[in-house]
Amino acid sequence: MRKSQRTEQSSDQPSPDYKDEPRLVCSTDSGEHLIRKGIPFKELVLNRDNLNDAYKRVVRNRGASGIDGVTVDELHDYIIEIKPQLMESLDDLSYKPKPVRRVEIPKPDGTKRKLGVPTVVDRVIQQAIAQVMTPVFEMVFSDNSFGFRPGRSAHDAIKRVIEFNNQGYHYTIDLDLKSYFDTVDHDLLMKFIKQYIDDKWLLKMIRKFLTSGIMIGQIFQRSEKGTPQGGNLSPLLANIYLNELDKLLTSRGHKFVRYADDCNIYVKSERAGRRVLDSITRFLEKDLKVTVNRTKTKVGRSTKMKFLGFMIGNSHKGAYVRISEQSKTRFKQSLRETTKRNRGISLEQLFKEIRQKVVGWLNYYGIAKIKTFISDLDGWLRTRIRQYIWKSWKHIKTRYKNLMKFGMTRKWAWKDANTRKGYWRTAHSKTMTFTFKKERLKSLGLIDMSEKLELIQNT
């Protein structure tokens, strides 16, 4: 068997065929309302193709192991080993999901985000359930909801914000829900699911995952509420819960954009914003039993608000996308950490790391007006690389030989190799800027951020 890879599996990369019965329904990507088929959801979830698709998705997404220590690379052989018991337990509902492993990751503001990492087998089952439920709920979700939905992205959400701004909605209610994923009420969530899917087997399976518990180190903690971030089913469940908010906002004719638990409501005046905020807060806390963080929830001009890392600017041509100085500073600091002159890695490896970081950042923020910022950052980054190269040469003889190799005369190579200037000052010198021009650094593998930005914005 071939080892699992990050890329989507090809046909010669086998899945651990779960069942041998023929395909029961069309692909879950078709958007067809599966309830109308009259097939029990257990058969839809445990369908061979559906389970194999779920397995491939889990392998493609990689991720850490759960509390049992089984890794994604071991998943195929492990499922083959336990398949008879696994399928029987799923069929008769004796299946017991394992507790999720608590992991905390730092957030930009210094706090930590709590994640729950399920076992890889539990991730496959959750994914199989999500694939069957998604087409049903895609038919009822709001057009203004964008997070964790097929064919929708943060960029689509920002484009909708621009539309509302151009329509005259220049004030924003920036809702902040305190620990939303950890405070979802299980009974209410099951009630909201049952509005659209009244299937005993499916509802019991979802309840099992919600109440499977959390392992914090060696300590078990019951999960009486919440849908921990990290599970394959959690994003869908979180959207189902907040779809009740979407329905209320839509019924009242409000303009809003929601991305998971990030929700902005757009109004035409600050006074209207205060009034709407009071009403929506009462609904969220009384009817949905979630807490509005009053210290972070704000009402103000849209041009001063951040949403999904973006901000809005206005010109005579209308609204446009920009990013905050904080986001720029964090990106530059990230590149500064990557190009520390004492890292001691090869230029090839360094340029690879820079490319990965830059491409990811530009693919996300490239829709904003950042041409001048990226142009300036390009020049700064090239200076950082020249400093890194100069530091890596260390000794005078090494510097002398390398300067000669790059075309300098003996006299000037020896003189510059003996300089007592600091690394940063030397990186700005004519010697290094001539020796490592933009074209040479590019030929060595350094990404040209301005070129990449232009390519992204023109596609």
Side-chain angles (χ1 to χ4, degrees):
M1 184 192 80
R2 294 189 180 183
K3 285 195 174 183
S4 305
Q5 298 176 352
R6 287 184 179 271
T7 55
E8 189 169 356
Q9 294 185 347
S10 58
S11 58
D12 65 342
Q13 224 169 351
S15 299
D17 288 336
Y18 292 83
K19 302 184 85 178
D20 296 324
E21 69 271 19
R23 192 179 186 89
L24 295 175
V25 294
C26 61
S27 168
T28 55
D29 290 334
S30 68
E32 192 170 345
H33 198 315
L34 300 179
I35 287 179
R36 294 176 181 171
K37 288 290 186 180
I39 300 171
F41 270 82
K42 178 171 71 174
E43 293 184 36
L44 297 176
V45 172
L46 301 185
N47 170 258
R48 169 185 173 182
D49 289 350
N50 187 56
L51 285 171
N52 286 339
D53 287 346
Y55 164 82
K56 291 176 182 179
R57 178 69 64 87
V58 170
V59 169
R60 187 166 65 245
N61 290 345
R62 305 296 293 177
S65 59
I67 63 169
D68 61 358
V70 178
T71 66
V72 169
D73 291 328
E74 298 166 336
L75 179 58
H76 182 280
D77 292 345
Y78 183 67
I79 286 182
I80 293 296
E81 180 183 340
I82 67 168
K83 185 172 67 173
Q85 309 95 287
L86 174 64
M87 298 308 300
E88 182 180 351
S89 67
L90 289 169
D91 182 69
D92 63 16
L93 278 174
S94 62
Y95 181 79
K96 291 184 179 179
K98 291 182 171 58
V100 298
R101 181 168 61 87
R102 171 57 53 82
V103 174
E104 293 185 345
I105 60 174
K107 295 167 68 175
D109 61 2
T111 60
K112 292 186 177 180
R113 187 187 305 277
K114 295 179 180 179
L115 299 181
V117 182
T119 65
V120 285
V121 173
D122 285 341
R123 295 211 290 271
V124 171
I125 307 305
Q126 285 193 36
Q127 181 63 33
I129 292 173
Q131 288 171 178
V132 165
M133 290 177 65
T134 294
V136 176
F137 283 96
E138 278 299 304
M139 297 181 68
V140 298
F141 282 160
S142 168
D143 189 46
N144 290 322
S145 165
F146 294 89
F148 307 113
R149 293 184 59 188
R152 289 170 171 252
S153 68
H155 290 177
D156 296 322
I158 295 301
K159 289 174 184 176
R160 186 64 52 84
V161 173
I162 294 292
E163 288 177 20
F164 291 153
N165 200 274
N166 285 334
Q167 292 170 14
Y169 295 88
H170 295 159
Y171 286 84
T172 301
I173 304 165
D174 184 8
L175 278 175
D176 186 277
L177 302 180
K178 189 175 183 180
S179 303
Y180 167 67
F181 284 88
D182 297 326
T183 58
V184 168
D185 184 278
H186 289 173
D187 292 333
L188 280 177
L189 174 58
M190 300 308 296
K191 173 186 172 183
F192 299 151
I193 296 172
K194 198 173 180 180
Q195 290 178 129
Y196 305 100
I197 299 178
D198 189 6
D199 182 278
K200 290 183 179 180
W201 182 89
L202 187 69
L203 293 173
K204 285 182 179 180
M205 282 298 298
I206 293 171
R207 178 76 77 165
K208 283 175 177 282
F209 281 110
L210 289 173
T211 58
S212 62
I214 302 167
M215 290 298 295
I216 305 174
Q218 300 298 315
I219 301 174
F220 174 79
Q221 178 180 301
R222 295 181 64 186
S223 48
E224 297 177 346
K225 59 181 180 179
T227 171
Q229 297 181 73
N232 295 54
L233 192 53
S234 293
L236 176 60
L237 298 181
N239 270 335
I240 293 171
Y241 201 83
L242 284 181
N243 187 53
E244 299 302 307
L245 171 63
D246 298 347
K247 290 190 316 190
L248 178 72
L249 293 171
T250 301
S251 68
R252 294 182 179 179
H254 291 309
K255 305 292 185 181
F256 71 95
V257 176
R258 184 174 65 79
Y259 194 94
D261 60 327
D262 289 329
C263 183
N264 280 2
I265 306 169
Y266 300 91
V267 293
K268 292 190 174 181
S269 70
E270 186 171 354
R271 183 178 179 182
R274 298 289 177 191
R275 185 177 65 251
V276 172
L277 175 58
D278 289 342
S279 173
I280 296 303
T281 297
R282 286 194 298 271
F283 170 78
L284 286 168
E285 298 189 336
K286 181 181 177 182
D287 295 77
L288 294 190
K289 298 182 180 180
V290 293
T291 302
V292 175
N293 189 334
R294 286 167 171 77
T295 59
K296 291 186 177 180
T297 295
K298 298 171 289 185
V299 178
R301 285 194 170 275
S302 300
T303 52
K304 295 183 178 179
M305 298 292 194
K306 286 192 295 183
F307 184 53
L308 304 178
F310 294 96
M311 297 184 75
I312 302 300
N314 277 316
S315 70
H316 66 281
K317 294 182 180 180
Y320 62 89
V321 186
R322 60 190 182 93
I323 61 175
S324 66
E325 291 301 318
Q326 186 181 22
S327 296
K328 294 177 183 178
T329 300
R330 279 204 299 263
F331 181 47
K332 188 172 182 178
Q333 181 59 33
S334 175
L335 290 175
R336 180 178 280 112
E337 291 293 321
T338 302
T339 56
K340 277 185 175 179
R341 61 177 185 254
N342 59 353
R343 290 195 63 201
I345 61 174
S346 67
L347 275 183
E348 181 182 5
Q349 179 62 29
L350 179 63
F351 290 163
K352 181 180 178 181
E353 291 182 17
I354 291 172
R355 171 171 285 276
Q356 290 174 341
K357 196 179 295 288
V358 166
V359 169
W361 194 88
L362 287 179
N363 278 335
Y364 187 75
Y365 286 106
I367 63 170
K369 282 194 173 183
I370 52 174
K371 186 175 181 179
T372 300
F373 167 68
I374 292 299
S375 178
D376 293 342
L377 195 65
D378 255 332
W380 172 84
L381 180 60
R382 286 192 289 269
T383 303
R384 292 284 297 181
I385 298 303
R386 292 178 187 118
Q387 175 186 237
Y388 186 90
I389 293 171
W390 188 253
K391 172 66 167 62
S392 70
W393 287 349
K394 290 184 180 180
H395 305 296
I396 293 175
K397 287 185 178 179
T398 305
R399 293 170 180 170
Y400 172 71
K401 290 179 181 178
N402 284 324
L403 289 174
M404 287 281 292
K405 184 173 68 174
F406 285 111
M408 293 195 71
T409 64
R410 290 178 178 273
K411 177 182 177 181
W412 285 106
W414 184 252
K415 179 182 177 182
D416 290 334
N418 282 274
T419 183
R420 294 188 178 183
K421 295 177 182 177
Y423 295 115
W424 187 243
R425 190 176 174 187
T426 301
H428 283 89
S429 69
K430 290 182 179 180
T431 299
M432 290 301 287
T433 54
F434 172 79
T435 305
F436 290 99
K437 293 179 179 179
K438 172 183 174 179
E439 292 73 18
R440 174 163 283 165
L441 290 174
K442 185 178 175 181
S443 70
L444 292 173
L446 180 64
I447 186 171
D448 187 314
M449 292 187 284
S450 296
E451 282 187 5
K452 181 63 179 177
L453 176 63
E454 186 177 358
L455 181 64
I456 290 172
Q457 293 183 337
N458 290 334
T459 54

